[in-house]
Amino acid sequence: MVQASPRGERRTSVDEVFEFLQEEISSMRLRPGDKISEADVANRFGVSRQPVRDAFSRLANLDLLLIRPQRATEVKRFSMREIEKSRFVRTAVEKEALRRASEFCDEVGAAQLDAELAQQKVALKKQDLEEFGRLDYAFHETLCKIAKAEFAFDVIMAEKSKVDRLCMLSLAKADRMVDLVEDHTEIAEAVKNHDAESALAAAQKHLSRLDKTIERITETNAHYFEPELV
C-alpha cells in the first residue's frame, strides 16, 4: 500500500522511486528474495543513483529491503520474529482505538463506517485486490478518527505495512476477501452499538486470520522466510 508524501509537500524523485518500489513489493510483484539494482532503477526513472539510494534506505527502514554493502540489494524475506512483534504492537494500539471508537461513535461516524463498507463490497464484487487493500487502510483510519486518536493510525499503518505482502497473498483467494468484509462489518456494527467487547472480539478474529496464511506459505514457499536462528 503506497504511503503518499505528507500533504502539501512537493513530491521528489526519491518519493516517486520509493512509492513505486513499495507498491511493487507490497503487491508481491517483487517477491521476497528478489534482487534489485540501483543502476537498473535509476535508468528506469532517468535519475542519478542518489535518489534511488535514498529510496532504498527508506524501504530498508520499513523492513522491505535488505541492503548489504558490496552485495546485491534484495527484497526482504519475511521474519517470524518481526511479524510477531508487529502484530503485538498493532493489536495493543488497535484495541485501545476500538474501545474509544465504541465510546465516541455518533451518527456521523456510523455513516462513515457504512460508506466504507459499501465501497469494500463494490471492490469485492469487482475482485479488485489493490482497491480493496486501499479501502482496508481507509477503514482502520476511519475507526481511529472516530476514536479521536488519529495518531494511532500512524502506528497501525506502520505495523500493517510490514505484513501487507502476507495479506496480499491471503487475498489471492476470493473467499479471503469475503471473510475480511464480514470481519469489518462485525467490527463496525459493534462500534456503532457502543459494544467495545464485541468490537475487540471481532478485531481479534480479524487479526488471527493471518495465522493460516503464514502456515500455508511456510509449507509452500519456505524460501520467502528468513531462516530461524537456533
Side-chain angles (χ1 to χ4, degrees):
M1 184 71 178
V2 171
Q3 298 175 7
S5 303
R7 188 176 299 174
E9 288 190 10
R10 178 175 170 273
R11 290 177 75 251
T12 66
S13 55
V14 177
D15 294 326
E16 292 178 0
V17 174
F18 168 79
E19 290 170 9
F20 172 78
L21 290 176
Q22 185 187 32
E23 181 63 23
E24 290 292 290
I25 294 169
S26 296
S27 65
M28 292 293 286
R29 286 188 286 270
L30 281 173
R31 300 257 168 167
D34 283 356
K35 294 177 173 55
I36 57 176
S37 159
E38 280 185 10
D40 290 344
V41 175
N43 287 336
R44 179 185 184 117
F45 283 85
V47 298
S48 68
R49 288 199 181 191
Q50 188 56 53
V52 176
R53 193 171 295 122
D54 292 343
F56 277 17
S57 180
R58 287 170 61 179
L59 291 163
N61 289 337
L62 291 175
D63 286 328
L64 295 178
L65 281 187
L66 177 62
I67 300 174
R68 300 170 297 180
Q70 310 304 318
R71 298 178 65 185
T73 295
E74 66 178 41
V75 178
K76 190 87 176 282
R77 288 179 168 82
F78 298 120
S79 162
M80 290 302 302
R81 181 180 181 278
E82 290 302 317
I83 289 171
E84 289 304 313
K85 177 182 174 183
S86 178
R87 294 175 74 187
F88 182 89
V89 172
R90 180 184 169 189
T91 298
V93 173
E94 199 147 20
K95 279 185 176 180
E96 184 58 28
L98 284 174
R99 289 188 191 279
R100 292 174 57 129
S102 298
E103 177 182 355
F104 297 133
C105 189
D106 56 16
E107 290 184 1
V108 174
Q112 289 175 330
L113 291 174
D114 288 341
E116 297 279 359
L117 290 171
Q119 292 180 63
Q120 288 179 32
K121 289 173 183 176
V122 171
L124 171 61
K125 185 175 181 180
K126 294 180 178 179
Q127 290 295 290
D128 189 336
L129 303 186
E130 290 192 12
E131 175 65 4
F132 189 87
R134 185 191 69 78
L135 293 170
D136 187 15
Y137 270 77
F139 177 75
H140 291 284
E141 183 175 21
T142 295
L143 286 169
C144 290
K145 288 179 178 177
I146 293 171
K148 301 179 182 179
E150 289 91 336
F151 51 84
F153 181 67
D154 294 337
V155 178
I156 292 171
M157 182 174 68
E159 298 306 324
K160 192 173 185 302
S161 69
K162 296 176 182 178
V163 296
D164 263 354
R165 294 181 290 164
L166 284 169
C167 293
M168 285 304 298
L169 287 170
S170 69
L171 288 176
K173 292 189 175 181
D175 59 339
R176 301 299 292 170
M177 291 178 69
V178 174
D179 289 340
L180 297 183
V181 171
E182 290 179 354
D183 292 346
H184 289 169
T185 301
E186 285 186 37
I187 292 169
E189 288 302 313
V191 168
K192 291 191 294 182
N193 291 327
H194 308 290
D195 185 351
E197 293 308 310
S198 292
L200 293 175
Q204 185 61 44
K205 180 175 71 173
H206 180 61
L207 292 172
S208 69
R209 291 195 185 277
L210 195 57
D211 294 338
K212 289 185 178 179
T213 299
I214 294 173
E215 181 180 347
R216 176 170 57 84
I217 297 171
T218 54
E219 291 176 353
T220 59
N221 292 285
H223 59 285
Y224 284 171
F225 290 80
E226 295 178 355
E228 294 299 313
L229 297 177
V230 179

